[in-house]
Amino acid sequence: MNIGASTACFYPLETEKALQEVIDLGFKKTEIFFNTSSELEPGFVNAMKKNADENGVEVVSIHPFSSAIENMCIFGEYQRRFDDFVPLYQKHFQAAALLGAKYVVIHGARDKRKIPLDDDFYFERFMQLVELGKAEGVTVCQENVHIFKSQHIDFMKRMRAALKSDFHMVFDIKQSVRAGYNPFDFLEEMKNEIVHVHISDNLLPEADCLPPGKGNFDFKRLFNTLENAGYKGDYVIEIYSKGLDVRTELEQSKRFFDNLL
């Protein structure tokens, strides 16, 4: 089992520099969190791919920078806006393919909206992204995200029933905590559909999004639960840099997992 780190940990450091930080820390798995459209150009993507390959680092997944506006531009009901934004997601999928990444992480639509969004409409739009991803050889995945529809276990169960074998989930520990769920309740329900995991630590209920090893989350239980379900995916640390010496924290987290595993 390899524990990786997301470039998002170093935000707002430029994406290619964040990748270099991940490499310098000795991680062999990473998620690339793109931050703007120019970073999707083939020259930029290929330069990151070359750096990762030369240092033996696998890019497991990518995260679109446009996740903050998916609620309006992908899952909104204005058809022309959706049509105009689809090419941006195609570029993300193409970038993922160039990087050799298996997964693209989608946030989706917000839970509370002025105009309620029908689940069937959401699932139909998501399937369009899934099909575009398939054309590039990548898997489009729904992440559980606080304040989004996907924060709810029941919503994810309905999505799983609608998408069937095309439903794949990215599980995020901190997002589950923020939504008020015990992460292991989410895991037990979705363990067979989870293909990628964002890890962080927490001190329930006082603090979340802590560096692994700084809280009381039961990582052994996490690994055992997924391993027993046949999980073959990766685990990527995703913490936010505000108020942290991220490099030092990730060094300590890496040692924590080296001793745990």
Coordinates of all heavy atoms in Angstrom, one line a residue, residues 56-133:
G56 N 9.6 8.6 -10.6 CA 8.8 7.4 -10.1 C 7.5 7.7 -9.4 O 7.1 6.9 -8.5
V57 N 6.9 8.8 -9.8 CA 5.6 9.1 -9.1 C 4.5 8.9 -10.1 O 4.5 9.3 -11.2 CB 5.6 10.6 -8.7 CG1 4.3 11.1 -8.2 CG2 6.7 10.9 -7.7
E58 N 3.4 8.2 -9.5 CA 2.2 7.9 -10.3 C 1.2 9.0 -10.0 O 0.8 9.2 -8.8 CB 1.7 6.6 -10.0 CG 0.4 6.2 -10.8 CD -0.2 4.9 -10.4 OE1 0.3 4.2 -9.5 OE2 -1.4 4.6 -10.9
V59 N 0.6 9.6 -11.0 CA -0.5 10.5 -10.9 C -1.8 9.6 -10.9 O -2.1 9.1 -11.9 CB -0.6 11.6 -12.0 CG1 -1.8 12.5 -11.8 CG2 0.7 12.4 -12.0
V60 N -2.4 9.5 -9.8 CA -3.6 8.6 -9.6 C -4.9 9.3 -10.1 O -5.7 8.6 -10.8 CB -3.7 8.2 -8.2 CG1 -5.0 7.3 -8.0 CG2 -2.5 7.5 -7.7
S61 N -5.0 10.6 -9.8 CA -6.3 11.3 -10.1 C -6.0 12.7 -10.4 O -4.9 13.3 -10.1 CB -7.2 11.1 -8.9 OG -6.6 11.6 -7.7
I62 N -7.0 13.4 -10.9 CA -6.9 14.8 -11.1 C -8.2 15.4 -10.6 O -9.3 14.8 -10.5 CB -6.6 15.3 -12.5 CG1 -7.8 15.0 -13.5 CG2 -5.4 14.6 -13.1 CD1 -8.5 16.2 -14.0
H63 N -8.1 16.7 -10.2 CA -9.3 17.4 -9.7 C -9.5 18.7 -10.5 O -8.6 19.5 -10.6 CB -9.0 17.8 -8.2 CG -10.3 18.0 -7.4 ND1 -11.2 18.9 -7.8 CD2 -10.7 17.4 -6.3 CE1 -12.2 18.8 -6.9 NE2 -11.9 18.0 -5.9
P64 N -10.6 18.9 -11.2 CA -10.9 20.1 -12.0 C -10.9 21.4 -11.1 O -11.4 21.4 -10.0 CB -12.2 19.9 -12.6 CG -12.4 18.4 -12.6 CD -11.7 18.0 -11.3
F65 N -10.3 22.5 -11.6 CA -10.3 23.7 -10.9 C -11.7 24.3 -10.9 O -12.0 25.1 -10.0 CB -9.3 24.7 -11.5 CG -9.7 25.3 -12.8 CD1 -10.5 26.4 -12.9 CD2 -9.3 24.7 -14.0 CE1 -10.9 26.9 -14.2 CE2 -9.6 25.1 -15.2 CZ -10.5 26.3 -15.3
S66 N -12.5 23.9 -11.8 CA -13.9 24.4 -11.9 C -14.9 23.8 -11.0 O -16.1 24.0 -11.1 CB -14.3 24.2 -13.4 OG -14.1 22.9 -13.8
S67 N -14.4 23.0 -10.0 CA -15.4 22.3 -9.1 C -16.3 23.3 -8.4 O -17.4 23.0 -8.0 CB -14.6 21.4 -8.1 OG -13.7 22.2 -7.4
A68 N -15.7 24.5 -8.2 CA -16.5 25.6 -7.4 C -17.7 26.1 -8.2 O -18.6 26.6 -7.6 CB -15.6 26.7 -7.1
I69 N -17.7 25.9 -9.5 CA -18.8 26.4 -10.3 C -19.6 25.3 -11.0 O -20.4 25.5 -11.9 CB -18.3 27.4 -11.4 CG1 -17.2 26.8 -12.3 CG2 -17.8 28.7 -10.7 CD1 -16.8 27.7 -13.4
E70 N -19.3 24.0 -10.7 CA -20.1 22.9 -11.2 C -21.6 23.0 -10.9 O -22.4 22.7 -11.8 CB -19.5 21.6 -10.7 CG -18.2 21.2 -11.3 CD -17.6 20.0 -10.7 OE1 -18.2 19.4 -9.7 OE2 -16.5 19.6 -11.1
N71 N -21.9 23.5 -9.8 CA -23.3 23.7 -9.4 C -24.1 24.5 -10.4 O -25.2 24.1 -10.8 CB -23.3 24.4 -8.0 CG -24.7 24.7 -7.6 OD1 -25.5 23.8 -7.3 ND2 -25.1 25.9 -7.5
M72 N -23.5 25.5 -10.9 CA -24.1 26.4 -11.9 C -23.9 26.0 -13.3 O -24.8 26.0 -14.2 CB -23.6 27.9 -11.7 CG -24.2 28.9 -12.7 SD -23.6 30.5 -12.4 CE -21.9 30.4 -12.8
C73 N -22.7 25.6 -13.7 CA -22.3 25.4 -15.1 C -22.5 24.0 -15.6 O -22.6 23.9 -16.8 CB -20.8 25.9 -15.2 SG -20.6 27.6 -14.9
I74 N -22.4 23.0 -14.8 CA -22.7 21.7 -15.2 C -24.0 21.2 -14.7 O -24.8 20.5 -15.5 CB -21.6 20.7 -14.6 CG1 -20.2 21.1 -15.2 CG2 -21.9 19.3 -15.0 CD1 -20.1 21.0 -16.8
F75 N -24.4 21.5 -13.5 CA -25.7 21.0 -13.0 C -26.8 22.1 -12.9 O -27.8 21.9 -12.2 CB -25.4 20.4 -11.6 CG -24.5 19.2 -11.7 CD1 -23.1 19.3 -11.5 CD2 -25.0 17.9 -12.1 CE1 -22.3 18.2 -11.6 CE2 -24.2 16.8 -12.2 CZ -22.8 17.0 -12.0
G76 N -26.6 23.2 -13.6 CA -27.6 24.2 -13.7 C -28.5 23.8 -14.9 O -28.2 23.0 -15.8
E77 N -29.7 24.4 -15.0 CA -30.7 24.1 -16.0 C -30.6 24.9 -17.3 O -31.4 24.7 -18.1 CB -32.1 24.2 -15.3 CG -32.3 23.1 -14.2 CD -33.6 23.3 -13.5 OE1 -33.8 24.4 -13.1 OE2 -34.3 22.3 -13.4
Y78 N -29.6 25.8 -17.3 CA -29.4 26.6 -18.5 C -28.6 25.8 -19.5 O -27.4 25.7 -19.4 CB -28.8 27.9 -18.2 CG -28.9 29.0 -19.3 CD1 -30.1 29.6 -19.5 CD2 -27.8 29.3 -20.0 CE1 -30.3 30.5 -20.6 CE2 -27.9 30.3 -21.0 CZ -29.1 30.9 -21.3 OH -29.3 31.8 -22.3
Q79 N -29.2 25.3 -20.5 CA -28.6 24.3 -21.4 C -27.4 24.9 -22.1 O -26.3 24.2 -22.3 CB -29.6 23.8 -22.5 CG -29.0 22.7 -23.4 CD -28.7 21.5 -22.7 OE1 -29.4 21.0 -21.8 NE2 -27.6 20.8 -23.1
R80 N -27.5 26.2 -22.6 CA -26.3 26.7 -23.4 C -25.1 26.9 -22.5 O -24.0 26.6 -23.0 CB -26.7 28.1 -23.9 CG -25.7 28.7 -24.9 CD -26.1 30.0 -25.4 NE -27.3 29.9 -26.2 CZ -28.2 30.9 -26.4 NH1 -28.0 32.1 -25.9 NH2 -29.2 30.7 -27.2
R81 N -25.3 27.2 -21.2 CA -24.1 27.3 -20.3 C -23.5 25.9 -20.1 O -22.3 25.8 -20.2 CB -24.6 27.9 -19.0 CG -23.4 28.2 -18.0 CD -23.9 29.0 -16.9 NE -25.0 28.4 -16.2 CZ -26.0 29.2 -15.7 NH1 -26.1 30.5 -15.8 NH2 -27.0 28.5 -15.1
F82 N -24.3 24.9 -20.0 CA -23.8 23.6 -19.9 C -23.0 23.2 -21.2 O -21.8 22.7 -21.1 CB -24.9 22.6 -19.7 CG -24.5 21.1 -19.8 CD1 -23.8 20.5 -18.7 CD2 -24.8 20.4 -20.9 CE1 -23.4 19.2 -18.8 CE2 -24.4 19.0 -21.0 CZ -23.7 18.4 -20.0
D83 N -23.5 23.5 -22.3 CA -22.9 23.2 -23.6 C -21.5 23.9 -23.7 O -20.6 23.4 -24.2 CB -23.8 23.6 -24.8 CG -25.0 22.7 -24.8 OD1 -25.1 21.6 -24.3 OD2 -26.0 23.2 -25.5
D84 N -21.5 25.1 -23.2 CA -20.3 25.9 -23.3 C -19.2 25.4 -22.3 O -18.0 25.6 -22.6 CB -20.6 27.4 -23.0 CG -21.3 28.1 -24.1 OD1 -21.4 27.6 -25.2 OD2 -21.8 29.2 -23.9
F85 N -19.6 24.8 -21.2 CA -18.6 24.3 -20.2 C -18.2 22.9 -20.5 O -17.1 22.5 -19.9 CB -19.2 24.5 -18.8 CG -18.8 25.9 -18.3 CD1 -19.6 27.0 -18.6 CD2 -17.7 26.0 -17.4 CE1 -19.2 28.2 -18.1 CE2 -17.4 27.3 -16.9 CZ -18.1 28.4 -17.2
V86 N -18.9 22.1 -21.2 CA -18.5 20.7 -21.5 C -17.1 20.6 -22.0 O -16.3 19.8 -21.6 CB -19.5 20.0 -22.4 CG1 -18.9 18.8 -23.0 CG2 -20.7 19.6 -21.5
P87 N -16.7 21.5 -23.0 CA -15.3 21.4 -23.5 C -14.2 21.6 -22.4 O -13.2 21.0 -22.5 CB -15.2 22.5 -24.5 CG -16.7 22.7 -25.0 CD -17.5 22.5 -23.8
L88 N -14.5 22.4 -21.4 CA -13.6 22.5 -20.3 C -13.3 21.2 -19.6 O -12.2 20.8 -19.2 CB -14.0 23.6 -19.3 CG -13.2 23.8 -18.1 CD1 -11.8 24.3 -18.5 CD2 -13.8 24.8 -17.1
Y89 N -14.4 20.4 -19.4 CA -14.3 19.1 -18.8 C -13.6 18.1 -19.7 O -12.8 17.3 -19.3 CB -15.6 18.6 -18.2 CG -15.9 19.3 -16.9 CD1 -16.4 20.6 -16.9 CD2 -15.6 18.7 -15.7 CE1 -16.5 21.3 -15.7 CE2 -15.8 19.3 -14.5 CZ -16.3 20.7 -14.5 OH -16.4 21.3 -13.3
Q90 N -13.9 18.2 -21.0 CA -13.1 17.4 -21.9 C -11.6 17.6 -21.8 O -10.8 16.7 -21.9 CB -13.6 17.7 -23.4 CG -15.0 17.1 -23.6 CD -15.5 17.5 -25.0 OE1 -15.4 18.6 -25.5 NE2 -15.9 16.5 -25.8
K91 N -11.2 18.9 -21.7 CA -9.8 19.2 -21.5 C -9.2 18.6 -20.2 O -8.1 18.2 -20.2 CB -9.6 20.8 -21.6 CG -9.9 21.4 -22.9 CD -9.4 22.8 -23.0 CE -7.9 22.9 -23.1 NZ -7.5 24.3 -23.4
H92 N -10.0 18.7 -19.2 CA -9.6 18.0 -17.9 C -9.4 16.5 -18.1 O -8.4 15.9 -17.7 CB -10.6 18.2 -16.8 CG -10.4 19.5 -16.1 ND1 -11.2 20.6 -16.4 CD2 -9.6 19.9 -15.1 CE1 -10.9 21.6 -15.6 NE2 -9.9 21.2 -14.8
F93 N -10.3 15.9 -18.8 CA -10.2 14.4 -19.1 C -9.0 14.1 -20.0 O -8.3 13.1 -19.7 CB -11.5 13.9 -19.7 CG -12.8 14.2 -18.9 CD1 -14.0 14.3 -19.5 CD2 -12.7 14.3 -17.5 CE1 -15.1 14.5 -18.8 CE2 -13.8 14.6 -16.8 CZ -15.1 14.7 -17.4
Q94 N -8.8 15.0 -20.9 CA -7.6 14.8 -21.8 C -6.3 14.9 -21.0 O -5.4 14.2 -21.2 CB -7.7 15.8 -23.0 CG -8.8 15.4 -24.0 CD -9.1 16.6 -24.9 OE1 -8.5 17.7 -24.8 NE2 -10.1 16.4 -25.7
A95 N -6.3 15.9 -20.1 CA -5.1 16.1 -19.2 C -4.9 14.9 -18.4 O -3.8 14.5 -18.2 CB -5.3 17.4 -18.4
A96 N -6.0 14.4 -17.8 CA -5.9 13.2 -17.0 C -5.3 12.0 -17.8 O -4.4 11.3 -17.3 CB -7.2 12.8 -16.4
A97 N -5.7 11.9 -19.0 CA -5.2 10.8 -19.9 C -3.7 11.0 -20.1 O -3.0 10.0 -20.1 CB -6.0 10.7 -21.2
L98 N -3.3 12.2 -20.4 CA -1.9 12.5 -20.7 C -1.0 12.2 -19.5 O 0.1 11.7 -19.6 CB -1.7 13.9 -21.1 CG -2.1 14.4 -22.5 CD1 -2.0 15.9 -22.7 CD2 -1.3 13.6 -23.5
L99 N -1.6 12.4 -18.3 CA -0.8 12.2 -17.0 C -0.9 10.7 -16.6 O -0.1 10.3 -15.7 CB -1.5 13.0 -15.9 CG -1.2 14.5 -16.0 CD1 -2.1 15.2 -15.0 CD2 0.3 14.8 -15.6
G100 N -1.7 9.9 -17.3 CA -1.9 8.5 -16.9 C -2.8 8.3 -15.7 O -2.7 7.3 -15.0
A101 N -3.5 9.4 -15.3 CA -4.4 9.3 -14.2 C -5.7 8.5 -14.5 O -6.2 8.6 -15.6 CB -4.8 10.7 -13.7
K102 N -6.1 7.7 -13.5 CA -7.3 6.9 -13.7 C -8.6 7.6 -13.5 O -9.6 7.3 -14.1 CB -7.2 5.7 -12.8 CG -6.0 4.8 -12.8 CD -6.2 3.6 -11.8 CE -4.9 2.7 -11.8 NZ -3.9 3.4 -11.0
Y103 N -8.5 8.6 -12.5 CA -9.8 9.1 -12.0 C -9.8 10.6 -12.1 O -8.8 11.3 -11.9 CB -9.9 8.7 -10.5 CG -9.8 7.2 -10.3 CD1 -8.8 6.7 -9.5 CD2 -10.7 6.4 -10.9 CE1 -8.7 5.3 -9.3 CE2 -10.6 5.0 -10.7 CZ -9.6 4.5 -10.0 OH -9.5 3.1 -9.8
V104 N -11.0 11.1 -12.3 CA -11.3 12.6 -12.3 C -12.4 12.8 -11.2 O -13.4 12.1 -11.2 CB -11.8 13.1 -13.6 CG1 -12.2 14.6 -13.5 CG2 -10.8 12.9 -14.7
V105 N -12.2 13.7 -10.3 CA -13.0 13.9 -9.1 C -14.0 15.1 -9.4 O -13.6 16.2 -9.7 CB -12.1 14.2 -7.9 CG1 -13.0 14.3 -6.7 CG2 -11.0 13.2 -7.7
I106 N -15.3 14.8 -9.2 CA -16.4 15.7 -9.4 C -17.0 16.1 -8.0 O -17.4 15.2 -7.3 CB -17.4 15.2 -10.4 CG1 -16.8 14.9 -11.7 CG2 -18.6 16.2 -10.5 CD1 -16.2 16.1 -12.4
H107 N -17.3 17.4 -7.8 CA -18.0 17.8 -6.6 C -19.5 17.7 -6.8 O -20.3 17.2 -6.0 CB -17.6 19.2 -6.2 CG -16.3 19.3 -5.4 ND1 -15.9 20.4 -4.8 CD2 -15.4 18.3 -5.2 CE1 -14.7 20.2 -4.2 NE2 -14.4 18.9 -4.5
G108 N -20.0 18.3 -8.0 CA -21.4 18.2 -8.3 C -22.2 19.5 -7.9 O -21.6 20.6 -7.9
A109 N -23.4 19.3 -7.5 CA -24.3 20.4 -7.2 C -24.5 20.6 -5.7 O -24.4 19.6 -5.0 CB -25.7 20.1 -7.9
R110 N -24.7 21.8 -5.3 CA -24.9 22.1 -3.9 C -26.2 21.5 -3.4 O -27.2 21.4 -4.2 CB -24.9 23.6 -3.7 CG -23.5 24.2 -3.8 CD -23.5 25.7 -3.5 NE -22.1 26.2 -3.4 CZ -21.4 26.4 -2.2 NH1 -22.1 26.1 -1.1 NH2 -20.2 26.8 -2.2
D111 N -26.3 21.3 -2.1 CA -27.4 20.6 -1.5 C -28.6 21.6 -1.5 O -29.7 21.3 -1.8 CB -27.1 20.1 -0.1 CG -28.1 19.3 0.5 OD1 -28.9 18.7 -0.3 OD2 -28.1 19.1 1.7
K112 N -28.3 22.8 -1.0 CA -29.4 23.9 -0.9 C -29.3 24.8 -2.0 O -28.3 25.5 -2.2 CB -29.2 24.6 0.5 CG -29.1 23.7 1.7 CD -30.5 22.9 1.9 CE -30.4 22.1 3.2 NZ -31.6 21.3 3.4
R113 N -30.4 24.9 -2.8 CA -30.4 25.7 -4.0 C -31.7 26.5 -4.0 O -32.7 26.1 -3.4 CB -30.3 24.9 -5.3 CG -29.0 24.2 -5.5 CD -29.1 23.0 -6.5 NE -29.7 23.5 -7.8 CZ -29.0 23.6 -8.9 NH1 -27.7 23.3 -8.9 NH2 -29.6 24.0 -10.0
K114 N -31.7 27.7 -4.6 CA -32.9 28.5 -4.8 C -34.0 27.7 -5.5 O -35.1 27.7 -5.2 CB -32.6 29.8 -5.5 CG -31.7 30.8 -4.6 CD -31.5 32.1 -5.4 CE -30.6 33.0 -4.6 NZ -30.3 34.3 -5.3
I115 N -33.5 27.0 -6.6 CA -34.4 26.2 -7.4 C -34.0 24.7 -7.1 O -32.9 24.3 -7.6 CB -34.4 26.5 -8.9 CG1 -34.7 28.0 -9.1 CG2 -35.3 25.6 -9.6 CD1 -34.6 28.4 -10.5
P116 N -34.8 23.9 -6.4 CA -34.4 22.5 -6.2 C -34.0 21.8 -7.5 O -34.7 22.0 -8.5 CB -35.6 22.0 -5.5 CG -36.3 23.1 -4.9 CD -36.1 24.3 -5.8
L117 N -33.0 20.9 -7.4 CA -32.6 20.1 -8.5 C -33.1 18.7 -8.4 O -32.8 18.0 -7.4 CB -31.1 20.2 -8.6 CG -30.4 19.6 -9.9 CD1 -30.8 20.4 -11.1 CD2 -28.9 19.5 -9.7
D118 N -33.8 18.3 -9.5 CA -34.3 16.9 -9.5 C -33.1 15.9 -9.6 O -32.2 16.1 -10.4 CB -35.2 16.7 -10.7 CG -35.8 15.4 -10.8 OD1 -36.7 15.0 -10.0 OD2 -35.3 14.6 -11.7
D119 N -33.2 14.8 -8.8 CA -32.1 13.8 -8.8 C -31.9 13.3 -10.2 O -30.7 13.1 -10.7 CB -32.4 12.7 -7.9 CG -32.1 13.1 -6.4 OD1 -31.6 14.2 -6.2 OD2 -32.5 12.3 -5.6
D120 N -32.9 13.0 -11.0 CA -32.8 12.4 -12.3 C -32.1 13.3 -13.2 O -31.3 12.8 -14.1 CB -34.2 12.0 -12.8 CG -34.8 10.8 -12.1 OD1 -34.0 10.0 -11.5 OD2 -36.0 10.7 -12.2
F121 N -32.3 14.6 -13.1 CA -31.6 15.6 -13.9 C -30.1 15.5 -13.6 O -29.3 15.5 -14.5 CB -32.2 17.0 -13.7 CG -31.5 18.0 -14.5 CD1 -31.9 18.3 -15.8 CD2 -30.4 18.8 -13.9 CE1 -31.2 19.3 -16.5 CE2 -29.8 19.8 -14.6 CZ -30.2 20.1 -15.9
Y122 N -29.8 15.5 -12.3 CA -28.4 15.4 -11.9 C -27.7 14.2 -12.4 O -26.6 14.2 -13.0 CB -28.4 15.4 -10.3 CG -27.0 15.4 -9.7 CD1 -26.4 16.6 -9.2 CD2 -26.2 14.3 -9.7 CE1 -25.2 16.6 -8.7 CE2 -24.9 14.3 -9.1 CZ -24.4 15.5 -8.6 OH -23.2 15.5 -8.1
F123 N -28.4 13.0 -12.3 CA -27.8 11.8 -12.7 C -27.6 11.8 -14.3 O -26.5 11.3 -14.7 CB -28.6 10.6 -12.3 CG -28.9 10.5 -10.8 CD1 -30.1 9.9 -10.4 CD2 -28.0 11.0 -9.9 CE1 -30.3 9.8 -9.0 CE2 -28.2 11.0 -8.6 CZ -29.4 10.4 -8.1
E124 N -28.5 12.4 -15.0 CA -28.3 12.4 -16.5 C -27.1 13.3 -16.9 O -26.4 12.9 -17.7 CB -29.6 13.0 -17.1 CG -29.7 12.9 -18.6 CD -29.0 14.1 -19.2 OE1 -29.0 15.2 -18.6 OE2 -28.5 14.0 -20.4
R125 N -27.0 14.4 -16.2 CA -25.9 15.3 -16.5 C -24.5 14.6 -16.1 O -23.5 14.7 -16.8 CB -26.0 16.6 -15.7 CG -27.0 17.6 -16.4 CD -26.4 18.2 -17.6 NE -27.3 19.1 -18.4 CZ -27.5 20.3 -18.1 NH1 -26.9 20.9 -17.1 NH2 -28.4 21.0 -18.9
F126 N -24.5 14.0 -15.0 CA -23.3 13.3 -14.5 C -22.9 12.2 -15.5 O -21.7 12.0 -15.8 CB -23.5 12.7 -13.1 CG -22.2 12.3 -12.4 CD1 -21.6 13.2 -11.6 CD2 -21.6 11.1 -12.7 CE1 -20.4 12.9 -11.0 CE2 -20.4 10.8 -12.0 CZ -19.8 11.7 -11.2
M127 N -23.9 11.5 -16.0 CA -23.6 10.4 -17.0 C -23.0 11.0 -18.3 O -22.2 10.3 -18.9 CB -24.9 9.6 -17.3 CG -25.1 8.4 -16.4 SD -23.7 7.3 -16.3 CE -23.6 6.8 -18.0
Q128 N -23.4 12.2 -18.6 CA -22.8 12.8 -19.8 C -21.3 13.0 -19.5 O -20.4 12.8 -20.4 CB -23.4 14.1 -20.1 CG -24.9 13.9 -20.7 CD -25.5 15.2 -21.2 OE1 -24.9 15.9 -22.1 NE2 -26.6 15.6 -20.7
L129 N -20.9 13.4 -18.3 CA -19.5 13.5 -18.0 C -18.8 12.2 -18.0 O -17.7 12.0 -18.5 CB -19.3 14.2 -16.6 CG -19.8 15.6 -16.4 CD1 -19.5 16.1 -15.0 CD2 -19.2 16.5 -17.5
V130 N -19.5 11.2 -17.5 CA -19.0 9.8 -17.4 C -18.6 9.3 -18.8 O -17.5 8.8 -19.1 CB -20.0 8.8 -16.8 CG1 -19.5 7.4 -17.0 CG2 -20.1 9.1 -15.3
E131 N -19.5 9.6 -19.8 CA -19.3 9.1 -21.2 C -18.1 9.9 -21.8 O -17.3 9.3 -22.6 CB -20.6 9.3 -22.0 CG -21.7 8.4 -21.5 CD -21.4 6.9 -21.7 OE1 -20.5 6.5 -22.5 OE2 -22.0 6.1 -20.9
L132 N -18.0 11.2 -21.5 CA -16.9 11.9 -22.0 C -15.6 11.4 -21.5 O -14.6 11.4 -22.2 CB -17.1 13.4 -21.7 CG -18.2 14.2 -22.4 CD1 -18.4 15.5 -21.8 CD2 -17.9 14.3 -23.9
G133 N -15.6 11.1 -20.2 CA -14.4 10.5 -19.6 C -14.0 9.2 -20.2 O -12.8 8.9 -20.4

